[in-house]
């Protein structure tokens, strides 16, 4: 996520905020679909500044699949 572009867009710009990186290239976009080997969209990363979620989020991940979360401890004792 490019926080600088999110802030610029709040002031009227129209910049992509999501960067998708793979071994070939970096692609910039405002929506990235995650597709399985059968070609089905199984999740999406969405940037929607004009229709944020009720909590105010403008960027989120959508999926109908089960999601498991893990607690990560970063050096210095901060939890993520």
């Amino acid at each position: 996520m490019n926080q600088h572009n999110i802030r610029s867009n709040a002031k009227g710009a129209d910049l992509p905020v999501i960067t998708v990186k793979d071994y070939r290239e970096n692609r910039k976009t405002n929506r990235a679909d995650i597709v399985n080997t059968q070609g089905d969209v199984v999740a999406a990363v969405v940037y929607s500044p004009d229709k944020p979620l009720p909590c105010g989020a403008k960027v989120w991940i959508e999926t109908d699949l089960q999601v498991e979360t893990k607690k990560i401890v970063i050096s210095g004792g901060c939890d993520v």
Side-chain angles (χ1 to χ4, degrees):
M1 300 311 129
N2 186 319
Q3 189 66 34
H4 298 291
N5 285 2
I6 292 172
R7 287 188 189 116
S8 293
N9 289 349
K11 297 176 184 176
D14 186 22
L15 303 169
V17 303
I18 300 167
T19 301
V20 178
K21 299 181 178 201
D22 63 22
Y23 67 96
R24 287 179 288 175
E25 61 186 318
N26 291 343
R27 292 168 283 167
K28 298 181 187 300
T29 185
N30 285 330
R31 180 184 175 96
D33 291 337
I34 301 167
V35 181
N36 67 13
T37 55
Q38 289 79 35
D40 302 317
V41 176
V42 296
V45 182
V46 179
Y47 169 63
S48 181
D50 299 329
K51 294 183 181 178
L53 295 179
C55 65
K58 296 178 182 179
V59 181
W60 60 86
I61 299 172
E62 297 178 345
T63 185
D64 291 329
L65 298 176
Q66 178 179 334
V67 176
E68 296 180 11
T69 61
K70 308 275 188 230
K71 182 177 181 179
I72 300 171
V73 177
I74 297 174
S75 176
C78 297
D79 293 343
V80 178

